Each structure stands twice: as structure tokens, then as C-alpha cells.
Amino acid sequence: MFDVFALALPSLLAVGGIAAMVWAIVRLRRLRSAWRSGLTADAVCLRSYATTRTRRNGPHRSSTTTLTHLYEFTTPEGQTLRFEESGGPSSVVPGDTVPVRYPAGRPDRATAIPPGDSKTLVGIGALLAFLTVFVTACVGFGIFYLTVFGGLKDKAKDVIERSEDGVNAPAHSPSAPAGPTGPPDGFPTGPPEGFPTGPPKDFPTGPPEGFPSGMPTGFPSGLPSGFPGGR
């Protein structure tokens, strides 16, 4: 969810910046087309009004005032048109007559700004430069987030998974390698075939028959002849 929000916001800002760049380029092309057409007419300023925008940057505030004029003119064909235009000179007041220029066949794109007006050209150029840096920063942030933060997030996820696996694994001594848990395949589990399981055949199981019941007789009654100590 955080990834969606982190990428959606700069994406929307970049789209808005691109749309403003397109508007500025279209505005500049229409002005040049009207200046080069050679079709002119006299227009009357019906009214003018100022729009003030205040921007706050921390404890500081900055205000920008834009002057807008409403003009009315009639084409050679007898068509009467009205249009509003911002950025005109402040010296023009309601009731003044000013020349307007428009492309051939498009009187709806008329302008009262004189050809090559430096103030207008500098303003559009500065706006395009600012929007270019702004859009580049938004796109760069998205790329930086995907490459750097995305990689860090994957590494952190791997570390967490490994730590969880280590906690859940059974404890064992790191110095003693884990040995086999059972006998190898084919290991004998009993005595070999033909191994005797009891005493040999005809082995006596009791005392011998005819065991003597008294002491033996016929022992010599004296020392043998010639034995030292004898008589």
C-alpha cells in the first residue's frame, strides 16, 4: 500500500507538469502564428481585472498579480468576437483601442500582445524551464524509489525470513556436525545366516553319570624309599 502511494503522488505531479508544459508550448505557437499572419483588427478594451495569488513558503509570503483584459473586435467579414487575455500591459484601460492580430481563418485565436513581446517570451520560457525540472525530479524520484528503496526492502525481507527460519529451527551445536540419524542402507540388523543360536549338539547338560560317591582308596601309607628325611 505504501508503494502505491509513494509512486502515485509523483506520477500525478509529473502528469500535471507535462500538461502545463503542453499548454505553454501551444500558447507560444499560437502567439507566433498570430504574429506572422499579418491579419490585424482594432479591438476595444471592455474591462480589465487583476487576479492575485499568494504563496506561502514558511514564514514568508509572496504574491503574484496577473492582469486580464476583455477585448472586442470585428473582422473584415463583419464577425464580432470577444476574448480575454492575461499578461497584457497595465497601461491599457477600459475604453482604449488596441490592435489585435490573429491567424488567417482563426479570429478566435486573436491576441493583443505585440509581436516579439519580451515579457511574454521570457515568462513562457521560464515556465517551461521550471516545469522541465519539476517533471524530471518527479520521474527521478520514482526511479530512485524503485531501484534503491525497492532493493533495500527486498534485502530486509530476506534478512527477516532468514532470522525467522533460524528461530524456528532446532538447536544444535555448531561445532559438532550433524551425523546420520539411522543405520546406512543394507546394514545387518541381526546375526548372519547359519550363526549358532544355542549350545552344540551332544553338549552335556548335567553331571556325568557314575560320579564317585566316596573317597578313593589305595593311597601309600608312608614316604617313598630314598625320599630325604626318611629312615
Side-chain angles (χ1 to χ4, degrees):
M1 185 63 183
F2 180 77
D3 293 343
V4 175
F5 177 78
L7 295 176
L9 182 59
S11 299
L12 292 176
L13 293 176
V15 171
I18 293 174
M21 292 176 64
V22 172
W23 175 86
I25 294 173
V26 171
R27 171 65 174 165
L28 182 60
R29 293 188 62 181
R30 288 183 177 181
L31 286 176
R32 290 180 174 178
S33 177
W35 293 340
R36 296 171 181 174
S37 66
L39 300 180
T40 60
D42 291 332
V44 178
C45 178
L46 301 179
R47 68 185 181 95
S48 63
Y49 60 92
T51 304
T52 302
R53 295 181 180 180
T54 303
R55 298 178 181 178
R56 185 172 182 179
N57 186 11
H60 305 286
R61 292 185 180 181
S62 60
S63 300
T64 303
T65 301
T66 303
L67 187 63
T68 303
H69 295 88
L70 175 64
Y71 298 102
E72 182 181 81
F73 70 100
T74 302
T75 63
E77 294 79 17
Q79 183 181 3
T80 301
L81 298 173
R82 290 182 178 182
F83 68 95
E84 285 188 348
E85 189 172 50
S86 300
S90 59
S91 58
V92 178
V93 296
D96 290 348
T97 301
V98 296
V100 294
R101 296 170 176 80
Y102 58 91
R106 297 302 303 266
D108 56 316
R109 295 183 179 179
T111 177
I113 298 177
D117 183 68
S118 59
K119 180 181 177 182
T120 302
L121 294 177
V122 170
I124 295 178
L127 178 61
L128 287 174
F130 170 77
L131 292 174
T132 301
V133 175
F134 179 77
V135 173
T136 303
C138 293
V139 175
F141 175 80
I143 297 175
F144 178 79
Y145 180 85
L146 291 176
T147 55
V148 177
F149 285 96
L152 292 177
K153 184 179 67 174
D154 294 339
K155 291 182 179 179
K157 185 178 179 180
D158 293 340
V159 170
I160 293 174
E161 291 179 352
R162 291 178 182 177
S163 62
E164 291 179 352
D165 294 340
V167 171
N168 297 328
H172 62 277
S173 175
S175 59
T181 57
D185 296 339
F187 191 83
T189 56
E193 186 178 354
F195 190 83
T197 56
K201 189 176 181 181
D202 300 331
F203 189 81
T205 57
E209 296 182 0
F211 192 80
S213 57
M215 297 298 293
T217 60
F219 285 102
S221 59
L223 293 173
S225 176
F227 191 80
R231 295 181 180 177

